[in-house]
Amino acid sequence: MRTRTIGGRTVSAVGLGAMPLSLSGRPPREHAVATVHAALDAGITLIDTADAYHRDATDPGHNELLVAEALRTYGRDTSDVLVATKGGHTRDAEGGWGLDGSPEHLRRACEESLRRLGVERIGLYQFHRPDPAVPYADSVGALADLLDEGKVEMVGISNADPEQIRLAQEVLGGRLAAVQNEFSPDFRSSGPELELCAKLGIAFLPWSPFGGRSRYGGLADRHPALEEVGAVRGATPFQVCLAWMLAKSPTVIPIPGASRPESIRGSAFAADLELTPEEFARIDAS
């Protein structure tokens, strides 16, 4: 599988978004672990999780615990796998989403993530979403402290705009490793962030690259070029979609979600699917 870089780490060009393994409608635990194992078998070495990926107050940190279990039971060396997690989102007792970007919360969240993942240092720790109640520089500053203390190897931000990317890069002294924003053929408003990351050499991790669970099934109908190119190349519309993203910039590393082994195996195939300039332009204009 082709590779790309996040900070100083080499990772697979396509990662695994582990969130669907823990929210409502999640698969049985053994199937979820098998999905992570299938990703590893396919050569994927980037797994994205978060402390807020769980259903409600009954199972806090479910996704981090699941990822840790899957790595622990894989039976082969996983030292090259980069686990990226996030802090700053909260969940209430009923499963509703909230925000807490205070330095105090982010430090506690990081400590809890360290415990659940069973590691001494988190590979990539990301600020999940800006909190309007907290100055952005204060939130990122908390991550800079965690970086300086060696609790995290690299720092990223998520759901950020260009101004916040530049501010984070300043607060971190040029050490911002990744930006994780929504990006798909349907949702291209993060184009300026993608372009800025390409310019600065920062990894850009698109989440919901197929448009999210509610729009996943109609991707080819909305963008026929994906199916048309795929028919010629022997690929699915979803694989062509990921290949289109990879062709956007060498800094792009999509993290499609998956809840079945066959889904992540299919996504992994896209890492080695190189589009021609004509195919890329056709999809880009769709």
Side-chain angles (χ1 to χ4, degrees):
M1 179 183 291
R2 285 190 295 167
T3 60
R4 298 208 159 170
T5 59
I6 300 178
R9 291 283 297 270
T10 297
V11 298
S12 54
V14 171
L16 167 65
M19 183 176 74
L21 301 175
S22 292
L23 300 188
S24 59
R26 67 195 186 196
R29 196 168 192 87
E30 61 272 21
H31 293 173
V33 170
T35 299
V36 178
H37 287 176
L40 299 173
D41 288 342
I44 287 177
T45 58
L46 171 64
I47 300 176
D48 181 76
T49 180
D51 63 351
Y53 291 166
H54 55 93
R55 285 193 299 212
D56 52 42
T58 65
D59 60 353
H62 180 277
N63 202 243
E64 290 180 326
L65 290 167
L66 177 69
V67 168
E69 177 185 346
L71 292 173
R72 188 174 61 251
T73 60
Y74 184 53
R76 278 177 267 169
D77 182 28
T78 59
S79 60
D80 63 337
V81 176
L82 176 63
V83 175
T85 192
K86 297 179 286 292
H89 251 313
T90 59
R91 307 295 299 278
D92 62 27
E94 288 74 40
W97 295 84
L99 295 170
D100 191 341
S102 67
E104 297 78 15
H105 172 79
L106 291 171
R107 175 170 289 277
R108 288 194 303 271
C110 180
E111 295 287 355
E112 286 297 301
S113 292
L114 284 164
R115 180 185 60 79
R116 284 190 289 261
L117 292 170
V119 296
E120 294 182 359
R121 184 168 64 163
I122 293 171
L124 174 62
Y125 195 66
Q126 303 158 101
F127 179 36
H128 206 152
R129 188 178 292 274
D131 180 353
V134 180
Y136 197 71
D138 290 355
S139 299
V140 177
L143 271 63
D145 291 341
L146 295 170
L147 184 61
D148 291 338
E149 294 167 15
K151 293 184 181 294
V152 304
E153 179 183 346
M154 295 181 290
V155 163
I157 55 176
S158 184
N159 302 299
D161 61 29
E163 181 180 352
Q164 290 163 337
I165 293 172
R166 293 189 181 94
L167 178 57
Q169 182 74 320
E170 179 182 347
V171 172
L172 290 163
R175 297 177 294 172
L176 180 63
V179 173
Q180 183 180 146
N181 276 20
E182 182 177 6
F183 186 78
S184 70
D186 296 314
F187 189 92
R188 305 193 193 190
S189 61
S190 285
E193 289 83 9
L194 188 158
E195 293 172 6
L196 179 58
C197 286
K199 179 181 178 181
L200 298 176
I202 297 169
F204 183 84
L205 315 182
W207 59 267
S208 287
F210 306 135
R213 284 194 289 180
S214 63
R215 296 174 63 80
Y216 173 90
L219 181 67
D221 294 331
R222 298 190 301 275
H223 304 278
L226 296 173
E227 188 164 37
E228 293 161 2
V229 170
V232 175
R233 301 297 298 276
T236 68
F238 305 105
Q239 291 164 341
V240 174
C241 176
L242 295 177
W244 164 71
M245 290 187 180
L246 289 166
K248 280 277 186 182
S249 165
T251 61
V252 172
I253 307 171
I255 48 171
S259 57
R260 299 178 300 130
E262 51 267 37
S263 296
I264 195 57
R265 290 191 196 106
S267 292
F269 171 84
D272 294 316
L273 177 60
E274 296 189 52
L275 302 178
T276 67
E278 294 76 18
E279 290 170 334
F280 173 80
R282 184 177 178 185
I283 297 165
D284 212 42
S286 69

